[in-house]
Amino acid sequence: FPITDADGDSNLEHIWMEVTAADATTITGTLANHPADKSIGHKGSSKTVTFDIVSDWAFGDRYGKPQGMFVERVLRKR
């Protein structure tokens, strides 16, 4: 999500969403974690975003094995 940090600079906050709907250009879902920037909303809030700000995705395949989660993998290695 686009945010403005304490210095007034534009930045991004990564937040997981549970998708409830999607169309050709947007995804709607509920925030799955608590945003640090309170202007985004709170865990459980419904949000609609455009695909261009999506940085990662995840789902369980038919065997329950997680797919996606590319950012999470990088962070765990650090």
Side-chain angles (χ1 to χ4, degrees):
F1 285 81
I3 61 169
T4 302
D5 65 23
D7 296 327
D9 297 322
S10 295
N11 214 327
L12 296 171
E13 181 173 351
H14 294 266
I15 301 170
W16 285 108
M17 289 177 50
E18 285 191 39
V19 176
T20 56
D23 62 28
T25 58
T26 62
I27 298 170
T28 300
T30 57
L31 300 182
N33 57 291
H34 298 284
D37 186 319
K38 301 301 180 202
S39 70
I40 295 170
H42 56 84
K43 182 178 180 179
S45 296
S46 180
K47 290 291 193 177
T48 299
V49 298
T50 55
F51 280 104
D52 63 327
I53 71 165
V54 174
S55 60
D56 204 353
W57 50 266
F59 69 92
D61 66 16
R62 66 182 185 177
Y63 304 107
K65 182 178 178 186
Q67 301 296 313
M69 298 176 57
F70 303 107
V71 172
E72 184 80 15
R73 293 177 194 180
V74 170
L75 293 174
R76 286 182 184 204
K77 288 181 181 180
R78 290 184 179 182

